Amino acid sequence: MADNIFYEFLNQDSVFIDKNKISPHYTPDKLPFRDDQIKDLSMWLSPALKSQKPHNVFIYGKVGTGKTSVVRHVVNQLDQISIENKFPLYPVYLNCRNYQTKYAVLFYCVQLFYPDKNFIGYSRSFIYDKFLTFIKDNKLNFLIILDEIDKIKDKEIDDIIYTLTRSNDELLVGSVSMIGISNNLFFKSRLDPRTKSSLCEQEAVYPPYNAQELREILTQRVNVAFKPGVVTSSAINSAAAFAAKESGDARTAVMFLLKAGEISDRDKLKQVTDVEVLKAKEKVEQEVIKSMVLTLPVQLQLVLLAITHKSDNPKGILKIDGSFEENVLYSGEIYEMYSLLAEKYDEKPVSMRWFREYITELETYGFITTMQSGKGVKGNTTLIKLGVDSKTIQNLLLKEFEA
Ligand SMILES: Nc1ncnc2c1ncn2[C@@H]1O[C@H](COP(=O)(O)OP(=O)(O)OP(=O)(O)O)[C@@H](O)[C@H]1O
Ligand SMILES: [Mg+2]
């Protein structure tokens, strides 16, 4: 038994008391600096306490600003009180990354409603009918949370919102409401004006956290996740400052400390200091890029892949004044490469107009920088430069597409 390779881990000293509580998947009971957001959301959902239809809500905010945590916290509380008082609320949470079409969303709900039945292979209209019937028969106030709603396919999104809204016209009893959550600045502009006004009946924008707020959030988590006194205050300050400088993202801040703790354990240290936080930061940044790339919608992944292919052999651009701009690509050549790749991987290529939107979107995420050719280059076109390591991104994406 003494030979077991896990023996060392079993007896290893650790800086953590409950590592789970510093994991980014953990939702703490208290969410400091989100009192106003919690209050607003509770008010918008409160009609459920009178067995009436809650408002539709759209929540936008950058990555790690507490959107999912706040919604889960408020809806859990509402669910609890509804069960106690027998209010007919039926909340369902889903992450649209895993349910990208109207059929997938409705199918998921119907399968939840009737857990003993198997609806595989049934038509769309049958599934929609079952969905309505269950809500009507049970007189439910059905509340669907569509987290990361921007991950729903472009051509399905209006249809989904429209169908869910329209259900209310077909129901004499019961209701259907939705909460949409997104960190995508462009999502709303993609909606048809009518669906936009339905979804955004009530709206909230969650601001990023500043360094002081992140420090408090981290301190609260450190107290429950680490042994007393092992995390130095300079470690907390560094983690908060790094995260505030980059994005005001609480998830990244929490990740910095989790990884720093793991580094201390690995190196058999008794403390977590700013040295481990700095090492952790480098590691986390790699992972953040990876997860950003892998969670982009497929079409954006294809555009990014096209850019990395073209970046392998960048021709650069000779300007009229004779100077040479290195590593710059023409948007036209990327569009051509993108169209070829789309075909290769069985996706329908989008029009040039959508393609331009995607380029803007990739720029907002920091993957590329763009400039107008304007001065010194013939014609007027968008020039694109990759801002991240081409090979890393390409390998990640090829693994996805070739899988
Ligand atoms: N006010 C807060 N207090 C304590 N922890 C927080 C707070 N806000 C966010 N967090 C923590 O940060 C992490 C990310 O939060 P959350 O998942 O809610 O972000 P999000 O806005 O949904 O981000 P994304 O757009 O990436 O989905 C979680 O671990 C959560 O516990
Ligand atoms: Mg979220």
Side-chain angles (χ1 to χ4, degrees):
M1 189 61 190
D3 297 339
N4 191 307
I5 49 173
F6 289 101
Y7 218 62
E8 190 190 333
F9 295 95
L10 204 59
N11 293 318
Q12 193 179 28
D13 224 11
S14 172
V15 291
F16 297 104
I17 33 173
D18 188 351
K19 194 164 160 182
N20 177 39
K21 293 199 170 137
I22 193 97
S23 137
H25 306 294
Y26 176 76
T27 309
D29 302 332
K30 291 210 169 58
L31 296 164
F33 312 109
R34 285 296 174 250
D35 293 343
D36 293 347
Q37 288 76 4
I38 291 173
K39 210 188 283 166
D40 283 344
L41 184 60
S42 340
M43 193 173 66
W44 296 329
L45 302 183
S46 64
L49 303 178
K50 297 191 183 111
S51 306
Q52 290 167 3
K53 178 187 177 308
H55 289 278
N56 288 345
V57 181
F58 177 64
I59 297 175
Y60 165 76
K62 288 194 180 158
V63 170
T65 49
K67 303 179 297 295
T68 301
S69 307
V70 166
V71 171
R72 277 189 178 281
H73 174 76
V74 171
V75 173
N76 280 345
Q77 299 240 325
L78 183 64
D79 194 28
Q80 244 174 45
I81 206 163
S82 299
I83 292 170
E84 277 165 30
N85 290 281
K86 301 203 167 48
F87 298 135
L89 178 80
Y90 195 116
V92 168
Y93 170 92
L94 44 91
N95 190 310
C96 299
R97 215 185 290 176
N98 307 319
Y99 303 90
Q100 299 185 353
T101 62
K102 180 173 101 177
Y103 185 77
V105 168
L106 291 179
F107 187 88
Y108 177 81
C109 299
V110 168
Q111 204 63 76
L112 270 184
F113 293 164
Y114 304 94
D116 301 333
K117 299 218 165 88
N118 183 348
F119 292 105
I120 291 176
Y122 282 90
S123 72
R124 285 158 174 264
S125 57
F126 179 87
I127 296 292
Y128 179 59
D129 214 51
K130 278 277 166 210
F131 172 77
L132 283 183
T133 309
F134 187 83
I135 293 171
K136 196 161 51 186
D137 288 353
N138 295 287
K139 302 185 178 62
L140 295 178
N141 292 125
F142 178 71
L143 173 66
I144 185 162
I145 298 144
L146 299 167
D147 202 352
E148 307 196 27
I149 190 170
D150 48 282
K151 297 294 184 312
I152 290 176
K153 288 185 189 290
D154 284 339
K155 54 183 189 303
E156 298 262 344
I157 184 65
D158 281 313
D159 195 17
I160 264 190
I161 297 171
Y162 177 72
T163 302
L164 291 171
T165 311
R166 196 195 53 188
S167 316
N168 289 295
D169 301 336
E170 299 186 19
L171 288 167
L172 291 173
V173 281
S175 68
V176 173
S177 311
M178 60 194 130
I179 302 177
I181 307 174
S182 175
N183 58 24
N184 185 315
L185 188 59
F186 297 87
F187 171 71
K188 253 175 66 178
S189 67
R190 284 190 191 154
L191 297 178
D192 175 274
R194 270 187 316 166
T195 45
K196 183 160 39 182
S197 70
S198 305
L199 173 65
C200 308
E201 189 186 341
Q202 301 292 348
E203 205 174 339
V205 179
Y206 287 22
Y209 297 109
N210 63 33
Q212 169 62 27
E213 291 170 339
L214 287 173
R215 206 154 40 222
E216 276 194 57
I217 290 173
L218 287 179
T219 305
Q220 183 200 51
R221 301 286 280 269
V222 161
N223 289 340
V224 290
F226 288 88
K227 287 179 181 159
V230 302
V231 183
T232 65
S233 54
S234 67
I236 296 181
N237 289 348
S238 305
F242 287 146
K245 188 156 169 265
E246 270 161 34
S247 50
D249 165 359
R251 180 184 300 111
T252 305
V254 165
M255 286 276 277
F256 286 162
L257 282 185
L258 169 66
K259 297 278 170 200
E262 285 174 350
I263 291 172
S264 289
D265 274 0
R266 188 200 61 196
D267 296 348
K268 301 193 167 51
L269 302 172
K270 299 259 175 272
Q271 286 215 303
V272 181
T273 71
D274 41 359
V275 177
E276 287 72 53
V277 171
L278 186 63
K279 286 185 189 158
K281 176 179 175 262
E282 280 151 20
K283 230 175 155 178
V284 169
E285 276 165 359
Q286 292 298 320
E287 284 169 25
V288 167
I289 292 187
K290 183 172 169 189
S291 93
M292 273 176 73
V293 170
L294 296 182
T295 55
L296 284 175
V298 175
Q299 290 285 352
L300 277 174
Q301 288 182 331
L302 285 170
V303 178
L304 193 57
L305 184 60
I307 298 174
T308 66
H309 274 312
K310 281 285 163 190
S311 301
D312 286 348
N313 276 313
K315 291 192 215 67
I317 281 158
L318 186 62
K319 293 188 172 177
I320 289 176
D321 65 7
S323 66
F324 191 73
E325 180 88 43
E326 269 185 78
N327 298 329
V328 183
L329 302 164
Y330 283 106
S331 70
E333 59 178 334
I334 298 171
Y335 184 71
E336 263 171 41
M337 175 58 93
Y338 152 78
S339 306
L340 287 175
L341 288 170
E343 212 161 292
K344 177 169 175 194
Y345 296 117
D346 290 332
E347 287 288 326
K348 199 166 175 289
V350 296
S351 67
M352 194 66 180
R353 191 184 82 74
W354 275 110
F355 174 77
R356 281 197 210 101
E357 296 249 352
Y358 289 156
I359 291 290
T360 317
E361 204 165 319
L362 287 176
E363 184 168 29
T364 345
Y365 294 139
F367 288 117
I368 56 172
T369 47
T370 70
M371 60 209 117
Q372 286 308 310
S373 63
K375 294 171 228 119
V377 178
K378 268 192 246 165
N380 192 17
T381 177
T382 306
L383 301 176
I384 291 157
K385 206 169 188 168
L386 194 61
V388 281
D389 182 56
S390 163
K391 271 285 162 247
T392 315
I393 306 278
Q394 195 177 98
N395 289 339
L396 277 172
L397 286 174
L398 284 178
K399 225 187 260 168
E400 272 293 279
F401 283 110
E402 305 282 337

